[in-house]
Amino acid sequence: MLYMSLTTTHLIRILAIFLFWFLGFSSQAQLIDKAEPDTVYFKDFLIFQLLESASLLPSILDKGNDVINNPRAESSIKSDSIIIRNFDGSLYRASSYNYKSVENEDGIIYFGNENGLLEFDGAEWMLYQTKSFTPIFNLKLIGDKIYTTGNNELGYFQRNKQGKMVYHSIRDKYDGDKEIREVWFIHEFMGKVYFNSYKTVLVWDGEVLKEFKGTDSHSFKVGGQLLFSVFEKGLAVPDGDTLKYVNTSFKFKDDAAYNILKNRYDEYIIFTSESGFYKLDTTNYETKPWENEINDYFLQDKTYLNSVIRFRDSLFVASTWYKGIIIFNDKGKILQKLDDQKGLNLNYNNYIMADRRSNLWISNPQGINYVKWFNSEENFNFDPATIVTYIDVDDSTLFVKSKEQEFDFSGTAAKAISFYYATPSFTTQDLEYSYFLDGFDETWSSWNAATKKEYTNLPGGEYTFRVRARHNYIEGLSIKPFSLSIILPTPWYLNKWNYLLYSLLVTGLIFGFIRFRTNRLNVANKKLESMVRERTSELVTQKEQLKEANEELKIINMELDNFVYRSSHDLVAPLKSLRGLIQIAQSENKEDAQQHYFYLMNTSINKLEDFIKNIMDFSTNSKKPIELKNIKLDDLLDSIVHDIKYYENSNKVKLIRHYNSDFEIKTDIKRLHIVLSNLLTNAVKYHNYSQHDEPYIKIHASKVNGAYELIVEDNGQGIPEEHHQKIFDMFFRAHQGVEGSGLGLYIVVDTLNILHGKISFTSETRKGTSFKITLPQPS
């Protein structure tokens, strides 16, 4: 809630969302990840070896687990193991920030992502965006539609006749003046779809989107009824266009029901975020505390429930705001806790979904966790089947709706056709595939992990592409194969009579051309021989020059690509952070909180200012000619100290000068300013201010053997030995916890190269670093 009745848990949710916008998890990528066969789709972070059979999950989880030494060696996994795999934005090519998820009847999973609707069929990731490119906070599968909400946008995705997923917005069907944000509950009830946000409840009947009285509430399907848990008022059911209260004692000032689920004893349990769990009698809607271990656990101070689901008949899985995932049984006994110490990538903002194989998908701001219970004798309540999801024909993508579908490509024969296939409910690491193009291949291919097969320059004709799968670890698992028919017509100019005509014509032309060219070649042959001798020596020289130039261009292009990519990110991230912080500050009335936001805004501005300064220094160094002038070293250092005095903790560092006060240097003043400024700035940033010794920076200057020698020494954190070979690389940061662009030392080296200078250093962790600069002394 963004108004006066804002609750603690809601505020945490809102702040968490904006916090990750500040950290730069958002992006605007839209693409289809068409990975090659050797693409790695996920990372196995941890495997737990359990003590009981996977079919006895409550007793397994109650007895604990041990870590297997080699989590990637799945061939050695026993049938009583848990595998936790992590997917992040770099793998599925979208934002790392994910919200809720659903699975359709075919086993394809959809995630609400900061960039749109993310689809995973077990092999390929696809991203579909909304009309306004808004994030998707919540989604619900109703019939053949996936209803989605996020950032004042409502609508649904539906496949068209060609099988392509298309978004339909219904936001303009609402003529109210309220913004529609944080719709965390979507229900189908009495043929209508209810969208429950904190400000309003909207009802969609397929034509009209109208407002329903249900403000400041959470809603749930309980039996055949739609039940609302209203903050500070109680439990209510729909009564026409308003609410009828059926329990006014179940109410909390800053809390409400977060889910209502039935256990295997046909008892409904109400789960609140911080006010405990309750049994619900659906005959009279009376409630009483569900007193047990899990209830006591969530009644602890600052132990907030985020979401909870039913799991494997007799279990529940709950996510907390800060403490990871809790698995407990229908008697309230805690069986297992999963957190970042046991394989999860994050402990908070987790949303849970159990797929049809009773494995868990946990989405959060840093990606997706897949918690899989491995069982070589697993029983399925569905028929596993391999499908061809789509095909690429040259530059066109065609989606496959069913195996009965036939693709007829008229006109010119396709130069390249690629088939993409998968087995929903299974990831590629579990399976191997074999394919056969009937009409072209002579036999089935060998088994392999590829989920794509490409054919090029196929002749015209009728073909049937067949693909089958087998499981690597579940012996005897029957997986339905898939077959797809295609027709590639033979172009008119490729028939046999045209071939004969082309052959005769080409033969005649070749014969006449040979006679003509023979005479010309005899005349030109002698002239050519002399030219060849002359050109040979030139070409050898040019070849060596081109080789050297090509190597230089490769290096420059690599640096330029890296520079552009990182520069755009480091410029945009602080601006996004500022925008998010400004929105939060505008909605915050407390002066202390606003001051904190202003402090964070100032941090983003300083970060942006430092990065722009580095870019300007880099540009100045590469373009401006050298101008040699005399300057006192004291004057130059005073200028630099004035520039960095606004850095945090700069007033704690003592600057010690070990040289004569009249020491002068004749060099390019601006470039030397760039070099010393970067070294002093780094010394201030990376000091260890918790140490007992007083932080200092010492500057030594002298003339040695006709050259200037400058030494910048500090007693800061030091540089770990494993980073010594990389600190002068572009964008490398040895200290990841401190803000910086990673350009400083790269610019120092680049600038010294222009001045024909050198730099070396010595460093020891927790003792400090010393940089020595040598500059030629002009004659």
Side-chain angles (χ1 to χ4, degrees):
M1 252 183 293
L2 300 178
Y3 50 97
M4 293 303 291
S5 61
L6 181 66
T7 69
T8 302
T9 51
H10 298 159
L11 180 59
I12 293 172
R13 187 193 298 266
I14 296 169
L15 292 177
I17 292 171
F18 282 108
L19 173 62
F20 278 90
W21 282 350
F22 167 71
L23 294 175
F25 282 99
S26 299
S27 64
Q28 293 299 322
Q30 180 189 17
L31 50 90
I32 297 176
D33 183 11
K34 301 173 181 176
E36 295 302 322
D38 59 347
T39 297
V40 178
Y41 284 95
F42 45 72
K43 302 174 182 176
D44 290 352
F45 275 87
L46 195 62
I47 301 177
F48 295 98
Q49 179 64 46
L50 303 178
L51 302 178
E52 297 281 344
S53 166
S55 62
L56 300 174
L57 185 61
S59 58
I60 291 175
L61 296 175
D62 196 26
K63 291 187 178 181
N65 51 67
D66 300 312
V67 178
I68 291 179
N69 290 329
N70 183 4
R72 294 190 181 275
E74 290 204 23
S75 60
S76 65
I77 296 175
K78 299 181 181 180
S79 64
D80 49 8
S81 300
I82 292 179
I83 304 172
I84 299 181
R85 295 173 180 162
N86 175 257
F87 303 78
D88 60 29
S90 65
L91 297 177
Y92 50 72
R93 308 289 181 85
S95 171
S96 293
Y97 209 125
N98 296 282
Y99 301 91
K100 293 187 177 181
S101 58
V102 295
E103 180 187 34
N104 71 8
E105 62 182 7
D106 295 323
I108 297 174
I109 299 177
Y110 297 90
F111 298 90
N113 184 271
E114 187 70 19
N115 294 150
L117 180 67
L118 192 61
E119 175 188 273
F120 182 51
D121 60 14
E124 296 285 329
W125 294 90
M126 284 194 178
L127 179 67
Y128 307 102
Q129 293 184 318
T130 65
K131 177 181 178 181
S132 305
F133 302 98
T134 57
I136 292 177
F137 297 156
N138 195 8
L139 67 169
K140 180 80 170 183
L141 185 61
I142 302 176
D144 63 346
K145 300 180 178 68
I146 303 175
Y147 285 89
T148 64
T149 66
N151 268 15
N152 203 28
E153 175 61 30
L154 296 177
Y156 61 88
F157 287 88
Q158 186 178 33
R159 295 196 181 276
N160 60 17
K161 293 181 179 180
Q162 291 74 39
K164 183 179 180 180
M165 189 72 80
V166 179
Y167 179 72
H168 305 271
S169 176
I170 62 174
R171 176 64 180 85
D172 57 355
K173 303 297 183 181
Y174 174 59
D175 58 2
D177 58 355
K178 295 181 180 178
E179 284 193 331
I180 307 171
R181 297 190 180 277
E182 292 193 299
V183 178
W184 296 114
F185 302 92
I186 306 175
H187 302 288
E188 189 276 330
F189 181 66
M190 303 292 289
K192 300 177 182 179
V193 180
Y194 286 71
F195 299 93
N196 189 175
S197 75
Y198 295 131
K199 286 190 175 182
T200 185
V201 176
L202 300 179
V203 183
W204 168 248
D205 63 4
E207 298 291 338
V208 178
L209 186 65
K210 63 180 182 179
E211 193 167 351
F212 172 83
K213 185 176 181 181
T215 303
D216 203 13
S217 65
H218 296 171
S219 57
F220 310 93
K221 290 285 287 292
V222 179
Q225 182 61 272
L226 188 61
L227 184 64
F228 289 82
S229 176
V230 185
F231 284 79
E232 300 187 50
K233 293 184 178 180
L235 300 177
V237 297
D239 184 16
D241 292 333
T242 185
L243 290 177
K244 173 185 176 183
Y245 283 89
V246 294
N247 182 331
T248 56
S249 62
F250 184 81
K251 58 184 178 181
F252 310 95
K253 180 179 181 181
D254 294 323
D255 205 357
Y258 268 59
N259 209 342
I260 303 177
L261 300 172
K262 184 190 291 186
N263 62 19
R264 64 173 171 173
Y265 305 113
D266 288 331
E267 298 173 326
Y268 281 97
I269 309 300
I270 300 179
F271 299 89
T272 72
S273 180
E274 55 185 307
S275 303
F277 304 156
Y278 298 81
K279 288 184 179 181
L280 172 67
D281 186 343
T282 55
T283 61
N284 53 20
Y285 295 103
E286 291 183 357
T287 60
K288 63 179 180 179
W290 193 37
E291 297 179 349
N292 47 42
E293 182 182 6
I294 190 64
N295 185 47
D296 294 339
Y297 179 83
F298 276 99
L299 284 174
Q300 296 179 85
D301 186 33
K302 297 183 179 179
T303 303
Y304 304 116
L305 175 81
N306 183 39
S307 63
V308 61
I309 63 168
R310 278 291 304 277
F311 180 56
R312 298 201 170 202
D313 296 331
S314 63
L315 303 179
F316 295 91
V317 182
S319 66
T320 66
W321 279 109
Y322 306 107
K323 299 180 181 180
I325 302 297
I326 311 295
I327 301 176
F328 56 97
N329 63 20
D330 49 16
K331 293 184 179 179
K333 178 178 176 56
I334 296 176
L335 305 177
Q336 183 61 278
K337 298 178 183 179
L338 301 179
D339 54 23
D340 57 4
Q341 300 300 312
K342 293 186 177 180
L344 298 186
N345 64 351
L346 204 63
N347 283 340
Y348 52 92
N349 264 31
N350 290 301
Y351 295 94
I352 316 166
M353 188 271 292
D355 63 20
R356 60 181 181 173
R357 288 181 61 192
S358 294
N359 295 321
L360 297 178
W361 295 84
I362 304 169
S363 51
N364 57 48
Q366 287 189 2
I368 301 166
N369 294 293
Y370 174 45
V371 182
K372 167 188 171 185
W373 273 260
F374 181 82
N375 183 0
S376 61
E377 299 179 355
E378 184 175 356
N379 294 320
F380 298 95
N381 58 3
F382 63 94
D383 295 325
T386 298
I387 60 173
V388 175
T389 53
Y390 62 95
I391 59 177
D392 275 350
V393 181
D394 294 336
D395 296 328
S396 300
T397 297
L398 303 173
F399 295 88
V400 180
K401 298 182 68 176
S402 67
K403 64 169 60 179
E404 290 77 20
Q405 192 173 358
E406 183 178 83
F407 289 91
D408 188 346
F409 303 106
S410 59
T412 305
K415 294 181 180 179
I417 181 169
S418 299
F419 299 88
Y420 293 82
Y421 41 88
T423 306
S425 298
F426 300 87
T427 57
T428 54
Q429 193 163 342
D430 298 330
L431 303 170
E432 288 185 327
Y433 292 93
S434 177
Y435 50 81
F436 173 59
L437 184 62
D438 194 353
F440 181 79
D441 292 329
E442 294 183 357
T443 183
W444 286 86
S445 72
S446 59
W447 292 98
N448 61 81
T451 58
K452 168 191 173 183
K453 174 57 182 174
E454 180 180 24
Y455 294 91
T456 58
N457 298 318
L458 288 173
E462 297 184 7
Y463 301 92
T464 300
F465 180 75
R466 307 181 191 278
V467 60
R468 60 189 181 183
R470 70 180 183 185
H471 202 283
N472 291 329
Y473 318 112
I474 304 178
E475 296 183 3
L477 177 63
S478 176
I479 303 177
K480 291 182 179 180
F482 193 92
S483 60
L484 183 71
S485 298
I486 61 172
I487 300 175
L488 299 177
T490 303
W492 63 269
Y493 52 81
L494 294 180
N495 65 54
K496 60 183 180 180
W497 294 110
N498 283 329
Y499 271 122
L500 178 60
L501 179 61
Y502 295 153
S503 300
L504 292 174
L505 180 60
V506 170
T507 301
L509 290 173
I510 292 175
F511 180 75
F513 181 73
I514 290 174
R515 288 181 62 94
F516 172 76
R517 289 296 297 167
T518 299
N519 293 330
R520 294 290 303 271
L521 288 172
N522 288 335
V523 175
N525 188 48
K526 292 183 179 180
K527 182 178 181 180
L528 183 60
E529 288 179 356
S530 62
M531 293 176 61
V532 167
R533 286 191 295 269
E534 295 175 359
R535 293 293 295 168
T536 299
S537 61
E538 296 177 3
L539 287 173
V540 171
T541 303
Q542 292 176 357
K543 181 180 178 181
E544 293 300 322
Q545 294 174 346
L546 286 173
K547 183 177 180 181
E548 295 176 1
N550 189 43
E551 293 298 322
E552 293 178 1
L553 283 174
K554 286 181 179 179
I555 295 173
I556 292 172
N557 283 334
M558 288 175 62
E559 292 183 347
L560 181 58
D561 288 345
N562 191 25
F563 182 81
V564 170
Y565 173 78
R566 292 293 301 271
S567 296
S568 61
H569 177 272
D570 286 347
L571 286 170
V572 171
L575 294 177
K576 286 186 176 181
S577 301
L578 278 173
R579 184 171 59 189
L581 287 167
I582 289 171
Q583 292 178 1
I584 297 175
Q586 288 174 341
S587 65
E588 178 61 63
N589 295 325
K590 296 181 180 180
E591 182 177 354
D592 291 342
Q594 289 183 340
Q595 290 301 319
H596 177 62
Y597 297 145
F598 291 148
Y599 169 79
L600 294 178
M601 292 178 195
N602 187 59
T603 301
S604 293
I605 293 171
N606 288 338
K607 178 180 177 183
L608 184 60
E609 183 180 18
D610 285 349
F611 189 75
I612 293 173
K613 176 182 176 296
N614 283 333
I615 293 176
M616 293 175 64
D617 289 344
F618 183 80
S619 175
T620 299
N621 183 56
S622 61
K623 296 181 179 180
K624 189 174 181 180
I626 295 177
E627 295 180 10
L628 299 177
K629 293 182 180 180
N630 283 314
I631 186 173
K632 285 187 176 182
L633 184 56
D634 267 344
D635 294 340
L636 182 59
L637 288 176
D638 289 342
S639 173
I640 294 171
V641 169
H642 181 270
D643 290 342
I644 66 176
K645 68 181 181 180
Y646 299 104
Y647 279 79
E648 186 177 3
N649 295 317
S650 62
N651 61 329
K652 299 178 181 178
V653 182
K654 182 178 181 180
L655 182 64
I656 304 172
R657 312 185 192 206
H658 285 291
Y659 54 83
N660 294 331
S661 60
D662 59 349
F663 186 87
E664 288 189 350
I665 296 179
K666 185 175 183 180
T667 185
D668 188 310
I669 298 171
K670 291 186 177 180
R671 285 186 168 89
L672 183 57
H673 185 282
I674 290 172
V675 171
L676 293 178
S677 177
N678 274 291
L679 293 179
L680 290 175
T681 300
N682 283 352
V684 171
K685 284 183 178 180
Y686 304 121
H687 244 98
N688 181 9
Y689 293 101
S690 63
Q691 66 187 11
H692 296 296
D693 296 333
E694 180 184 18
Y696 67 78
I697 301 174
K698 294 180 181 180
I699 308 295
H700 304 264
S702 61
K703 296 179 181 179
V704 180
N705 297 328
Y708 299 111
E709 187 176 278
L710 303 177
I711 297 175
V712 179
E713 175 188 358
D714 67 68
N715 63 338
Q717 298 182 32
I719 302 169
E721 186 175 356
E722 62 268 25
H723 297 325
H724 283 193
Q725 299 298 322
K726 301 178 181 179
I727 65 170
F728 296 113
D729 292 347
M730 181 184 289
F731 294 115
F732 179 80
R733 291 183 239 186
H735 300 279
Q736 298 299 324
V738 180
E739 292 290 343
S741 65
L743 284 173
L745 292 179
Y746 176 85
I747 293 173
V748 167
V749 173
D750 189 66
T751 304
L752 288 174
N753 287 338
I754 300 295
L755 296 176
H756 305 289
K758 298 180 180 179
I759 185 170
S760 61
F761 76 100
T762 59
S763 183
E764 187 173 353
T765 306
R766 293 187 296 276
K767 289 189 177 181
T769 303
S770 176
F771 286 92
K772 182 171 77 172
I773 301 167
T774 305
L775 291 172
Q777 187 174 347
S779 56

